[in-house]
Amino acid sequence: MASLAHLSISLCYSLRRLPASLASLSALQHLHLASNYELLELPAGFGGDLASSSSSRVQPSGLAASLTSLHVSGSHYLQQLPASLGQLPRLRSLSIGNCHGLSGLPGCLSGLSSLSRLQLSHCPNLVRLPEGFAGEV
C-alpha cells in the first residue's frame, strides 16, 4: 500500500478507531472519512513523525509529507481533532461536518500555511475556533 494516494472509509458504522499505521502511508494525498458514526478519534500521530534530514532542517515524513486534503463527516462521537494535524504542511483543504461531539479546533490549525479551504458545517457543539482564525472565519 506504499503507493496509495486516495483513501475513503465510509459507512463503517461501528468503526471506533483508525489504526496508528495510517500515519505511515507516505503517498496518501486525500483522506475521506464519512458516516463512521462511532469514530471516537483520529490517531494521535496523525501528523506523522518529523524526521531529520542531512541538513539541520526538519523534514515531514509519512502522511505528513503528502496529505493535501482531509474530509471528516458524520463522526458523531468525535470530540476533538489531534494537535498533530498542525504537522501537515501540505494540507490545503480541511472539511469537517456533522461531527456532533466536536466542541473546538486545535490551535495548531492556525499555523497551517498551505491551508486554503476550511469548511465547517453542522457541528452543533462547536463553540470555539483557534485564536489565529478570529479574523479569517
Side-chain angles (χ1 to χ4, degrees):
M1 296 197 12
S3 62
L4 186 67
H6 298 265
L7 176 60
S8 180
I9 302 173
S10 301
L11 300 170
C12 298
Y13 302 121
S14 298
L15 180 68
R16 291 181 174 260
R17 289 182 176 77
L18 297 170
S21 61
L22 183 70
S24 67
L25 296 175
S26 60
L28 192 65
Q29 296 174 9
H30 306 281
L31 179 58
H32 184 90
L33 304 169
S35 299
N36 301 303
Y37 302 129
E38 299 287 325
L39 187 65
L40 298 171
E41 62 188 8
L42 297 178
F46 194 73
D49 295 324
L50 295 177
S52 295
S53 67
S54 57
S55 70
S56 61
R57 288 188 42 165
V58 175
Q59 298 294 322
S61 65
L63 185 64
S66 60
L67 196 68
T68 61
S69 173
L70 174 61
H71 172 86
V72 181
S73 67
S75 297
H76 301 305
Y77 296 102
L78 184 68
Q79 294 182 354
Q80 63 185 9
L81 298 176
S84 58
L85 284 181
Q87 297 173 6
L88 298 172
R90 292 195 170 111
L91 191 68
R92 292 190 310 256
S93 175
L94 177 60
S95 175
I96 309 291
N98 289 316
C99 294
H100 299 178
L102 193 63
S103 62
L105 299 176
C108 63
L109 293 184
S110 61
L112 291 172
S113 59
S114 296
L115 193 66
S116 61
R117 179 178 178 266
L118 175 63
Q119 180 178 355
L120 304 170
S121 63
H122 303 288
C123 298
N125 292 312
L126 186 64
V127 294
R128 61 181 153 60
L129 297 175
E131 280 289 318
F133 284 6
E136 300 173 23
V137 177

